[in-house]
Amino acid sequence: TQLLEQSPQFLSIQEGENLTVYCNSSSVFSSLQWYRQEPGEGPVLLVTVVTGGEVKKLKRLTFQFGDARKDSSLHITAAQPGDTGLYLCAGAGGGSNYKLTFGKGTLLTVNP
Amino acid sequence: DTEVTQTPKHLVMGMTNKKSLKCEQHMGHRAMYWYKQKAKKPPELMFVYSYEKLSINESVPSRFSPECPNSSLLNLHLHALQPEDSALYLCATRTGEYTEAFFGQGTRLTVV
């Protein structure tokens, strides 16, 4: 069974602070994705990382994929209230055809 | 067209009712998924269809019955549900095993 350990599960910060969310596994994944979900809506893809050691930036968000393709992190700089939501990491191609393995999620609240 | 459309958006049903959830995509994606999600939790995989054939059933109770009439449509037939089945039901599509998922907005199901 492939598991993705995501931490922290809950995070409440003030506007302007920085934060990092971690996603770790003992399995190797072909790709790892990060999604953001707002209440009552479906998850929306933020980024896909494929290459070990890869770093991708999306405005104030920085995503890293570990060299061994087993872990990833999401760093948000100067968080804003609009960043509030459930952040999910998901691993693909870890040996189970068509399964997309989700971490437990990080519920982020950014207070004004 | 990068949309996955789910209907209805909200559904309230009694424990003796029969209802169906619908999902439609026109992206030509060959894999289609049903997920169940409880509040503040990650999506839980229920079923996967690839090339219109059921490829994964995550030991889902028989009161949930999936159907894939064609490559654009995915249904979830519901019968004799329990109140604990109340959740957000998400449909997702993917082009292949290693790619990202595109989610619909979900159906908020309440069983009374």
Side-chain angles (χ1 to χ4, degrees):
Chain A
T1 303
Q2 302 155 338
L3 289 174
L4 270 171
E5 299 292 336
Q6 192 173 338
S7 62
Q9 278 192 263
F10 301 95
L11 193 54
S12 180
I13 60 172
Q14 294 300 121
E15 182 176 1
E17 292 183 6
N18 301 333
L19 66 115
T20 302
V21 178
Y22 299 93
C23 188
N24 299 299
S25 175
S26 57
S27 301
V28 175
F29 292 98
S30 297
S31 72
L32 202 140
Q33 298 139 32
W34 286 92
Y35 297 82
R36 178 171 167 267
Q37 185 178 22
E38 297 194 30
E41 303 287 331
V44 175
L45 179 72
L46 294 173
V47 79
T48 299
V49 284
V50 177
T51 306
E54 184 175 6
V55 177
K56 281 192 175 179
K57 292 194 176 185
L58 189 67
K59 295 185 182 178
R60 293 176 294 100
L61 279 59
T62 301
F63 304 86
Q64 288 190 306
F65 200 15
D67 290 341
R69 290 186 291 137
K70 294 182 180 181
D71 54 86
S72 181
S73 64
L74 157 62
H75 182 78
I76 301 180
T77 303
Q80 299 176 0
D83 295 327
T84 294
L86 179 66
Y87 288 80
L88 296 158
C89 65
S96 297
N97 291 344
Y98 286 105
K99 271 198 180 183
L100 193 60
T101 303
F102 279 92
K104 287 187 185 284
T106 296
L107 191 61
L108 172 65
T109 304
V110 182
N111 303 297
Chain B
D1 183 2
T2 57
E3 278 196 354
V4 177
T5 304
Q6 288 187 245
T7 55
K9 193 164 173 60
H10 300 277
L11 178 62
V12 179
M13 61 184 290
M15 289 187 283
T16 58
N17 291 161
K18 283 186 180 181
K19 295 286 184 184
S20 296
L21 309 184
K22 295 184 185 303
C23 174
E24 188 169 6
Q25 61 106 357
H26 296 287
M27 296 179 282
H29 290 179
R30 61 190 187 184
M32 298 184 76
Y33 298 69
W34 281 115
Y35 284 91
K36 173 184 175 181
Q37 187 178 28
K38 293 281 198 179
K40 300 179 184 179
K41 298 292 185 183
E44 297 174 35
L45 182 63
M46 299 176 73
F47 303 103
V48 181
Y49 275 82
S50 67
Y51 293 103
E52 301 166 46
K53 292 193 188 315
L54 184 65
S55 61
I56 297 176
N57 176 342
E58 291 286 271
S59 303
V60 178
S62 59
R63 58 185 184 269
F64 296 91
S65 176
E67 179 196 18
C68 189
N70 59 58
S71 60
S72 299
L73 292 174
L74 186 67
N75 298 321
L76 186 63
H77 303 296
L78 314 172
H79 174 56
L81 295 193
Q82 304 297 310
E84 58 264 30
D85 296 321
S86 298
L88 182 68
Y89 287 84
L90 293 163
C91 173
T93 70
R94 297 169 74 194
T95 56
E97 299 169 48
Y98 309 116
T99 59
E100 59 269 18
F102 292 84
F103 284 86
Q105 287 196 312
T107 294
R108 172 66 62 190
L109 174 68
T110 304
V111 182
V112 297

